Amino acid sequence: DLPAGDKRYYAFGGYTSRNGDTGCFTRQPDQGNKVWLSSNPTGFVPHIQPTVSDYSTSMGVEGVFGSWSYDLSNTYGTNDYHFYMMSTNASYGPEQLRSYDIGGFKFNQNSTNLDATTRMGNIDLAVGLESRSESFRIYAGETASFASGQAGTNIVGWDSSEEDSLGNVTYTGLNSSTAGSGCQCFSGFKPSNELATNNADRSVLAFYGDAEMDLGFARFGGAVRMENYADKQIDGSDNTYSNLGIKATVRSEPMSGVVVRGAFSTGFRAPALAQAYQAKIATNFLPDPVTGETVAFEVGTFPVSHGFPQALGAEALTPETSTNISAGTSLNISGIRVSVDYYSIDIKDRIVLTGNFTGDDDPDANPFGYAVQSLLDAANENASGGRFFMNGVDTKTSGIDLTAA
């Protein structure tokens, strides 16, 4: 802090760096398209090893202008999620476990705010403006983390072996099954994923006003917030949308120690850029639709603009909206403060992930799975399943909170 006359200048910030290590499901030695017996005769456990960096800084000035108190500030923050895998890429042939740089994603946000408060008679008034910009970027990993080595080698499968009565193992060469491409557990981000987020930018302008007035028998409050969003699309055009949110409150104390309160508000949440642009492929162990056995699928999470979701009827994500109602009372009973509150929250068009659409190479046993695999192949994806975000759920949550202290 730096006081200067009737003003106060301030600044603060922070930086954190974290490293993680999470084991995936074990790749068993009998999972031929994932394990080379000559390198890992007992199988292996891939590990996801991310490095997460967060940085933020804020600076501003507080002061008084006439009857108004104001706070002008700017805040910048960034989050970098960089993934590494201790794994193998079976399609590159026999190899020991090693570390792969599989890329990651980065989110930046800059927000400038002006807030002001004053009192006019028995009315407390607050107003504010906000200008915010955001960006989301995926960056690709090394080639071996996502590619198929089949094209550059003579490998057409994985090694098989025979064991005699004395326990001697003889490797008999290659069989006809195709080795899985990309890192085991979490395939690397591809250049096409990086390219798809080149325009993943958002700008927001918002205004709010808040007023509270004490009429003696009760205190009433009301607020409005107007927001305008402009999201840059993959083709460079802007997708714009606006929202007007409102809030009304009342609080009364009809007798000493007894409080009655109520509130009504509307809410709004724009799709996160990471939801609109997320693209990655990871191994999911799911039931086979035909046999029912748990098998490994390379499942892609695709943005709604991708060819696979589009072929399945995906539409551009829209904001979630909500309506919130609450009412309650608080009173003293024999020296104990008891509060009872009812609440009800209705959310429309919640953004959720679809289920996993899994592929199959057999058009007779699983025609839908065959169609899914055909769509994935047409999109040039080394995946056997896919999913995407959608506005798919309406929810209502209601209940009663009871506290005593």
Side-chain angles (χ1 to χ4, degrees), residues 176-242:
S176 60
S177 296
T178 302
S181 61
C183 274
Q184 293 299 312
C185 183
F186 193 163
S187 185
F189 292 99
K190 300 181 294 184
S192 59
N193 303 143
E194 180 175 316
L195 182 64
T197 61
N198 274 354
N199 292 322
D201 299 319
R202 165 177 290 166
S203 59
V204 183
L205 287 174
F207 162 81
Y208 77 87
D210 186 313
E212 291 191 6
M213 180 170 55
D214 195 337
L215 297 180
F217 66 93
R219 185 173 182 85
F220 295 89
V224 296
R225 181 179 175 89
M226 180 69 186
E227 298 175 276
N228 182 74
Y229 283 71
D231 293 352
K232 192 71 70 176
Q233 304 299 289
I234 290 178
D235 62 5
S237 63
D238 279 337
N239 175 33
T240 60
Y241 46 95
S242 300

Side-chain angles (χ1 to χ4, degrees), residues 112-364:
T112 301
N113 296 79
L114 174 61
D115 302 286
T117 61
T118 190
R119 184 173 179 85
M120 298 180 178
N122 64 340
I123 300 175
D124 293 317
L125 183 65
V127 295
L129 294 169
E130 179 182 62
S131 175
R132 188 171 77 246
S133 61
E134 300 176 357
S135 68
F136 175 75
R137 297 289 187 270
I138 290 174
Y139 49 93
E142 62 176 281
T143 301
S145 71
F146 59 80
S148 171
Q150 303 294 336
T153 70
N154 293 320
I155 300 169
V156 295
W158 65 86
D159 50 348
S160 54
S161 63
E162 295 178 352
E163 183 175 351
D164 61 22
S165 59
L166 299 178
N168 298 313
V169 177
T170 301
Y171 293 98
T172 57
L174 307 174
N175 61 27
S176 60
S177 296
T178 302
S181 61
C183 274
Q184 293 299 312
C185 183
F186 193 163
S187 185
F189 292 99
K190 300 181 294 184
S192 59
N193 303 143
E194 180 175 316
L195 182 64
T197 61
N198 274 354
N199 292 322
D201 299 319
R202 165 177 290 166
S203 59
V204 183
L205 287 174
F207 162 81
Y208 77 87
D210 186 313
E212 291 191 6
M213 180 170 55
D214 195 337
L215 297 180
F217 66 93
R219 185 173 182 85
F220 295 89
V224 296
R225 181 179 175 89
M226 180 69 186
E227 298 175 276
N228 182 74
Y229 283 71
D231 293 352
K232 192 71 70 176
Q233 304 299 289
I234 290 178
D235 62 5
S237 63
D238 279 337
N239 175 33
T240 60
Y241 46 95
S242 300
N243 179 72
L244 177 64
I246 62 172
K247 181 178 181 179
T249 63
V250 60
R251 183 184 186 277
S252 178
E253 191 171 352
M255 62 184 68
S256 179
V258 178
V259 175
V260 180
R261 53 184 174 247
F264 171 84
S265 64
T266 60
F268 168 89
R269 192 187 78 85
L273 291 178
Q275 292 175 320
Y277 288 90
Q278 187 61 263
K280 63 181 179 181
I281 295 177
T283 306
N284 286 4
F285 286 84
L286 305 167
D288 185 287
V290 178
T291 66
E293 297 180 356
T294 300
V295 296
F297 288 91
E298 301 303 316
V299 178
T301 301
F302 303 114
V304 293
S305 58
H306 185 276
F308 178 75
Q310 287 291 304
L312 294 177
E315 298 179 352
L317 298 177
T318 58
E320 301 175 350
T321 59
S322 65
T323 302
N324 313 277
I325 300 173
S326 65
T329 184
S330 177
L331 65 159
N332 280 316
I333 301 177
S334 300
I336 299 176
R337 193 69 182 176
V338 178
S339 296
V340 181
D341 288 278
Y342 167 80
Y343 62 90
S344 177
I345 306 169
D346 285 287
I347 302 179
K348 303 294 185 184
D349 298 323
R350 291 196 71 166
I351 298 172
V352 295
L353 270 174
T354 65
N356 295 297
F357 297 97
T358 53
D360 200 307
D361 294 327
D362 191 337
D364 298 321

Side-chain angles (χ1 to χ4, degrees), residues 61-131:
V61 56
E62 292 180 341
V64 176
F65 183 79
S67 62
W68 290 84
S69 298
Y70 66 86
D71 185 346
L72 175 63
S73 65
N74 187 87
T75 299
Y76 172 79
T78 182
N79 169 260
D80 189 337
Y81 215 118
H82 198 155
F83 290 93
Y84 298 89
M85 283 294 307
M86 181 61 67
S87 186
T88 69
N89 182 338
S91 69
Y92 274 72
E95 61 177 337
Q96 299 296 326
L97 285 169
R98 73 170 180 88
S99 179
Y100 290 81
D101 180 346
I102 67 173
F105 44 80
K106 187 174 184 178
F107 178 75
N108 294 299
Q109 184 181 85
N110 189 81
S111 179
T112 301
N113 296 79
L114 174 61
D115 302 286
T117 61
T118 190
R119 184 173 179 85
M120 298 180 178
N122 64 340
I123 300 175
D124 293 317
L125 183 65
V127 295
L129 294 169
E130 179 182 62
S131 175

